[in-house]
Structure formats: structure tokens, C-alpha cells
Amino acid sequence: MELKSKEVVNEISRILFDKNKDEKILWKKLKNVIFYLIFDSKLFLVGIFLIPLSGLIILPAPILIKQVVDIYLPEKNIRMIIILSIISILVYLFSLIAKIFTNYVLTIASNQAIINLRKKMFERIITLPISFFNTQKSGYLTTRVDEINRLSSIFSSFFVSLLISIFTFSFSIIIVGIISVKLLLITLIFIPINFSVIKFFTGGFRKVTKDVIETTAKVNQNVQEVLSGISTVKTFSRENKEKERIFSTFDILLKKSISQNIILSLSGETIYFLTQVSGVLVLLISAFLILNNELTIGLYIASAQYISQILQPVQTLASSGMVFQSVFVTLARMDEYFTLVGENDRAGRNIKVANFTGNIEFKNVSFSYEEGKKVFDNISFKVEKGEKVAIVGKNGSGKTTLLKLLLQLELPQIGNIFIDGIDISKIELSTLRKNIGIVAQDVFLFSDTLKNNILYGVENYREEELNFIIKKYFNFINELPEGINTYIGERGVNLSGGQKQAISILRTILKKPSIFLFDEGTTHLDKEARSSIKNIIADYFNSKTCLIISHDEEIISICDRTLKIVDEKIMEC
């Protein structure tokens, strides 16, 4: 897609004159993020203390110059001119040192705060319920975490200069007022004009900034999705179609980015023009005052410097209004996640259990993913300690959902689930899930060694036990090029489906759970491997409570009884 100048102009006009552009940023919604950002770092508080100090140091310099021009220059007092010049240089030097040190402190604070916020954001995301991840894609969420880097603007030298200039702004107004009320009034006239310009541009810039950030997240999401499924893309010869789809999102991002940059440029140049005009008017008024003997040249030079310290913050603030829009948008987007209810935020989850006996009860449980589409309707059943219960039913009947409810990955809308007589909604999630092991049909493996994947979630194990189990049931591991230390690639790309499931089973054995869940865990296994699974269940889970989802008659045959899910109900077979 080739962008035409007319399209760009129309887009910018739409953004700037859109009546709904002035999206409100509710600061009370951002208080948690801002509080964490600012007050988590003691260094940041030190930097805040240094900022006014950096601004105040430089204030005497214009007065010293005024003394030189008005008093000692006419008197040809070379000694005092040199002394005051040296003092002025020292004032500027101390100001420079203070600013460098302030920037140094805030740079360290910036990196600490940004990393801490990235940690906080990631921690927040992974504690959200599984229902959240059902509607989000990993590439999009990764970008949301990366967006936090935009907050570094808060600690930049630009921001420090802005804060310093705000302090000098106040004192400069007082000093110019003492020198000449007329000069002060001319200067102050331009402040509301500048802020009107800022307000005009800010609403549109915030809107387009939000669009750019959101579009960037979607672009990254699409790119990661295609790369993750590259085998499928190539198998179906969809490279060109995917390229066209990705390129179209890049073109949308290009259009929005151009609009964002042009609005930023228009705003900055307009404010710069107003600042220059105000400088010319100040010069003109000063000339009349000097001719009328109401102002000396030295006072003009001094007041001109103080006036620049009044107008500079206005110009800087105008630019910051644009620059910090990405910060405001990022803070608002972060708040969206911090205000979501996480798994650990639910009140009452305070019961810790070292080990379960294994008695399970579903009592009047109803559940649906979408309103009006029930998966379970008032189901009740019990599983006694050590029982092996097969769960059967048509595809999509809710077999896997049953296990998710037991793991509290999904929560029932009605009813209760008990383990050993304790309502699992009251059990601390880490305690609950440590005591339950699951072998799933789709096994996710990390880009790491085989051993690290096997030991994922395993807290205590004995090396000799691991080696014995591998040799007896999973000897293919020893036949790999580097044995158990073989690097298996992203998502276990170097392993077959059966080998992945074998790793999942081995991991569950070593975890030693009180309750064992088996969700179509033999789908990718051959007949010999399925026989081995029967032996594993007999050897390692004989006294454990097991819920086994399977269509494999050989596996079902070792179960004590069978429950069948039919039409939102569950019944004995």
C-alpha cells in the first residue's frame, strides 16, 4: 500500500478535529502504577530532592551579569568584572555538576524502576486466570510487557530539564515582576496561548499514540503467530498469503506512525514560533523602556535570561505533552491488567495442605464457558481414595473441562468441589496444584534440555530413581545423541508426539502427586508404549486416586469404574 499525501492530510485532520479526541486519563486509575514507579526506588526520591537544587543554583547568574553591565563596565572596574565573571562561571559549573549528578541518579533509578515494573507486569499476567489467556495471544502479551520501556521517558534528561525549569519558572516570574511589570505581562500573555495550542494537539496525539501502540502489539502478535506455525504455513503453501496479511498490518502501522510524527512536529514548531514571537515583543518593549530610562541595558540582559527561563518550561511542557502521551497511554494500559482479578486475589484461599488423601467430590456443579451454553448442569459424583475412574464421552462433551475444574483453571458458576472434604476454592492454589499431577494430550515443552523439561515442576527427586525409571520405561532417552542432556528445541520440535507424552508421564511420576489426572495421555503412543503405561499406573499410581480420560479400551480396562458425560450430565456406566 502506497500512502498518498492527501490520505495523510485527511487522516491528520480527522484526528485533530475529531470531537471525541479528548480521551480523559483518569489519574485515580493510574495511582497504583505511578506510586510503584516513583516510590519503589529510594534513588528516585533522592533525584527529586536534587532537581530543585539544580534549578536554584543557576538563578544568581543573570543578576551578576546585570551588575557587570550596569555598574562595573561603566566604571571600567576590571577587577570586579573579572571576579563576577569567575563567580558566574562557577555558578554555571556547579549547576552543570548538579544536573549531571541528578541525571546519573535518575538514570540508575530509571533502570531499576523499569525492570521492576516489567517484573511486576509479568508477575501480574501469569497470575491471571486461564480464561484470560483463552482470549489473548502470547505475541500480543509479550508486546504489552515490552511497552513498559516507554516509561523511561519519565526519567530522561528531557524530563529532568522540565522539572528543573518548572522550579526556575516560579522564581523567574518573581524576579521579572520586580524588574518590570510590563515585561512580565507581555511574557505571561503567551502562556495561555501556548497551552491552548498544547490542548488542541494533545487530544489527537494521545488518540493516535494509543492506536500506534495497539497496532504495534497486533503486528507483533501476527508475526509471532506465523513464525510459531511456520510448518503449517509451508505445508499449505500459504507463505504469500501470510506475507500479504502481515504486510497489510505493517502498512496500517506506517499510516498511524506518520500521523503521530507529523502531529508531534506541528505541535513543536507552532510552540517554537510563538516563543520566538514573544521574544521579539519582549525586545521591542524593552527598547522603549530603555529609551524612556525605565530600564537599563544590564537589567534588560538579566530580564531576558529570566524571561527565557519562564518561556522555556512552557515550550518544554508543550513538547512533553506530546512526548509523554505514550507514557500516559502505557500507564493506562498497564492499569487494565493491574485491575483484573488474578487467581491469587480471590479472598479465602488460605488453606495449605501438605498431602491429599485423594477423596474427590463434585457437588451440584454447573459450568459454562459462555452464557447460555452449559457444559455441565448440576452434576454430582464422588471418587474414593485410590480409585481409578475412567471418564468417557464424545469429543467436546466436557471431559477435559472436568479436570480443569479440579485444578481450578476454570471455576464453576454453581456448586462446589471438595478434596478430602475441603472446598478447593478455599485451598491455596500452589498447594492444590502441587498435589495434582496431569498428563495432557498436548504436551508443551520448553526450549531447553530434556532433563530440565522432565524436572519442570519437580521439587524433590533422586537421581538413581530417575535413571531407573528411564531405563525401565523410557529407554529412548538414553539412545538420544546426548542422552538426558539433549537439547530438544523450541516446543520440543526434535521429539515425536509419543516421546513428548512419555516426558510428561515421567515428569508426573517424579512429582509424586496425591491425585493423578490422565487426559488422553496415550494418543500418540504405540501398542507397546500403551502397555507400559498400564504397568506405570500399576507400579506408581496403584494407591493414588486417578481420573483417566481415554478412548483406549486397554487403558479403560484397568479402571475400577467408568463415568460417562452425556448431555451436560455425568453418569455411571
Side-chain angles (χ1 to χ4, degrees):
M1 180 181 75
E2 185 177 344
L3 288 179
K4 298 178 181 178
S5 299
K6 186 176 179 181
E7 291 178 349
V8 174
V9 171
N10 290 338
E11 176 70 9
I12 294 170
S13 299
R14 182 188 66 79
I15 293 169
L16 290 178
F17 295 100
D18 183 359
K19 292 181 180 180
N20 296 321
K21 68 178 181 181
D22 193 20
E23 178 186 338
K24 302 293 183 182
I25 296 292
L26 301 178
W27 289 100
K28 64 180 181 180
K29 287 184 63 180
L30 308 179
K31 63 182 180 181
N32 293 332
V33 177
I34 294 175
F35 180 86
Y36 186 85
L37 184 67
I38 294 176
F39 295 103
D40 186 62
S41 173
K42 293 178 181 178
L43 276 176
F44 186 81
L45 296 177
V46 172
I48 291 295
F49 171 77
L50 291 172
I51 284 171
L53 182 64
S54 304
L56 294 174
I57 288 175
I58 204 171
L59 284 175
I63 296 296
L64 294 173
I65 294 172
K66 179 263 179 194
Q67 293 295 99
V68 170
V69 174
D70 283 348
I71 299 175
Y72 300 112
L73 193 59
E75 293 178 358
K76 298 182 180 180
N77 189 335
I78 302 299
R79 180 174 174 274
M80 287 305 298
I81 290 174
I82 293 173
I83 290 173
L84 291 180
S85 296
I86 292 172
I87 293 173
S88 297
I89 290 172
L90 289 174
V91 167
Y92 286 117
L93 178 61
F94 288 140
S95 175
L96 173 64
I97 293 171
K99 287 181 180 178
I100 290 174
F101 185 66
T102 302
N103 276 305
Y104 170 75
V105 168
L106 288 179
T107 297
I108 297 174
S110 167
N111 284 279
Q112 287 179 344
I114 296 302
I115 291 298
N116 287 341
L117 268 177
R118 285 171 69 93
K119 290 177 180 178
K120 191 86 172 175
M121 183 69 161
F122 179 74
E123 177 188 22
R124 187 61 188 167
I125 289 175
I126 64 172
T127 59
L128 292 173
I130 200 70
S131 55
F132 166 81
F133 294 95
N134 292 337
T135 60
Q136 302 288 331
K137 295 186 178 180
S138 58
Y140 181 83
L141 294 175
T142 301
T143 304
R144 297 297 291 267
V145 175
D146 288 340
E147 283 173 12
I148 294 172
N149 286 330
R150 297 175 185 270
L151 300 181
S152 60
S153 302
I154 295 177
F155 303 93
S156 64
S157 57
F158 175 83
F159 181 65
V160 174
S161 299
L162 174 61
L163 291 180
I164 291 173
S165 62
I166 288 172
F167 282 101
T168 57
F169 171 86
S170 305
F171 289 99
S172 297
I173 283 181
I174 296 171
I175 296 172
V176 173
I178 294 172
I179 294 172
S180 172
V181 174
K182 292 179 181 178
L183 287 179
L184 179 61
L185 290 175
I186 287 294
T187 305
L188 294 179
I189 285 173
F190 280 88
I191 293 178
I193 295 174
N194 284 342
F195 276 101
S196 296
V197 173
I198 294 170
K199 185 177 180 181
F200 174 74
F201 284 104
T202 298
F205 190 77
R206 182 187 303 136
K207 182 180 184 300
V208 74
T209 298
K210 184 176 180 179
D211 288 345
V212 167
I213 292 174
E214 181 68 21
T215 304
T216 300
K218 289 180 179 177
V219 166
N220 291 340
Q221 167 193 310
N222 291 338
V223 169
Q224 182 171 327
E225 190 174 48
V226 170
L227 294 179
S228 297
I230 192 66
S231 296
T232 303
V233 171
K234 289 182 175 296
T235 299
F236 289 91
S237 300
R238 298 288 293 181
E239 291 96 333
N240 288 332
K241 289 292 183 182
E242 291 299 339
K243 181 184 72 174
E244 290 173 7
R245 183 169 71 93
I246 298 298
F247 280 11
S248 67
T249 59
F250 274 121
D251 289 336
I252 293 170
L253 179 60
L254 171 64
K255 184 177 179 181
K256 294 183 183 297
S257 298
I258 289 174
S259 300
Q260 181 189 41
N261 290 323
I262 289 178
I263 292 173
L264 179 61
S265 177
L266 284 173
S267 170
E269 294 302 325
T270 303
I271 296 298
Y272 177 76
F273 168 76
L274 292 173
T275 303
Q276 298 305 309
V277 170
S278 63
V280 172
L281 291 178
V282 167
L283 174 62
L284 181 62
I285 298 299
S286 298
F288 283 116
L289 293 174
I290 291 171
L291 291 174
N292 291 331
N293 296 318
E294 296 179 36
L295 194 69
T296 65
I297 294 176
L299 277 174
Y300 164 69
I301 294 173
S303 62
Q305 292 194 45
Y306 284 119
I307 287 170
S308 70
Q309 291 178 15
I310 294 173
L311 294 177
Q312 182 187 357
V314 176
Q315 184 175 0
T316 307
L317 189 61
S319 301
S320 70
M322 302 293 107
V323 173
F324 291 147
Q325 285 310 306
S326 61
V327 172
F328 297 149
V329 171
T330 299
L331 287 172
R333 285 160 67 85
M334 285 180 64
D335 185 71
E336 292 174 12
Y337 290 94
F338 284 122
T339 53
L340 291 174
V341 177
E343 287 186 317
N344 298 321
D345 297 333
R346 298 187 179 97
R349 284 195 180 277
N350 50 22
I351 298 177
K352 296 183 179 181
V353 182
N355 290 289
F356 292 138
T357 302
N359 296 301
I360 300 170
E361 180 182 6
F362 278 63
K363 190 173 183 179
N364 306 124
V365 171
S366 295
F367 174 79
S368 60
Y369 288 106
E370 298 178 36
E371 190 174 349
K373 295 183 179 179
K374 285 188 177 181
V375 179
F376 298 119
D377 182 19
N378 195 34
I379 64 168
S380 298
F381 67 91
K382 291 182 179 181
V383 177
E384 301 297 331
K385 170 194 172 184
E387 269 196 304
K388 309 293 180 288
V389 178
I391 309 292
V392 299
K394 296 179 181 177
N395 290 334
S397 61
K399 300 186 296 296
T400 299
T401 300
L402 198 71
L403 305 189
K404 287 183 178 179
L405 289 169
L406 191 60
L407 284 162
Q408 293 284 271
L409 294 172
E410 300 288 355
L411 303 179
Q413 283 85 32
I414 301 174
N416 304 88
I417 303 170
F418 301 91
I419 295 180
D420 298 341
I422 304 171
D423 189 332
I424 62 173
S425 66
K426 307 296 183 185
I427 300 175
E428 191 180 72
L429 280 175
S430 59
T431 298
L432 175 71
R433 291 171 183 169
K434 282 178 183 178
N435 277 286
I436 300 176
I438 182 168
V439 176
Q441 181 176 355
D442 297 316
V443 182
F444 182 90
L445 298 176
F446 293 92
S447 181
D448 204 338
T449 64
L450 189 57
K451 184 173 183 179
N452 287 340
N453 273 281
I454 291 170
L455 299 179
Y456 188 79
V458 177
E459 295 183 349
N460 297 299
Y461 80 102
R462 290 181 294 108
E463 196 74 32
E464 54 271 24
E465 180 186 20
L466 172 60
N467 293 331
F468 173 78
I469 297 171
I470 290 175
K471 186 175 181 180
K472 185 174 182 180
Y473 297 110
F474 309 106
N475 198 49
F476 76 89
I477 293 175
N478 293 323
E479 296 171 358
L480 294 172
E482 296 181 52
I484 198 169
N485 294 311
T486 300
Y487 181 80
I488 63 172
E490 187 174 3
R491 294 176 178 268
V493 68
N494 298 326
L495 299 177
S496 68
Q499 288 173 330
K500 290 178 184 179
Q501 283 190 322
I503 291 170
S504 180
I505 294 167
L506 178 53
R507 179 193 293 165
T508 306
I509 292 172
L510 294 173
K511 184 180 177 182
K512 297 181 173 64
S514 302
I515 296 171
F516 176 57
L517 308 179
F518 201 86
D519 187 6
E520 298 287 3
T522 59
T523 305
H524 302 291
L525 302 180
D526 56 28
K527 185 175 181 180
E528 183 180 348
R530 287 200 298 273
S531 296
S532 294
I533 296 303
K534 286 176 61 178
N535 295 330
I536 288 171
I537 293 174
D539 291 344
Y540 290 96
F541 301 103
N542 185 45
S543 61
K544 306 288 186 181
T545 303
C546 299
L547 296 182
I548 301 173
I549 296 174
S550 181
H551 291 98
D552 187 339
E553 292 296 334
E554 189 174 0
I555 299 297
I556 293 174
S557 67
I558 66 173
C559 294
D560 300 311
R561 60 194 178 99
T562 301
L563 295 175
K564 186 174 184 178
I565 301 174
V566 181
D567 298 331
E568 304 166 11
K569 302 292 184 181
I570 193 162
M571 59 189 69
E572 292 273 356
C573 285

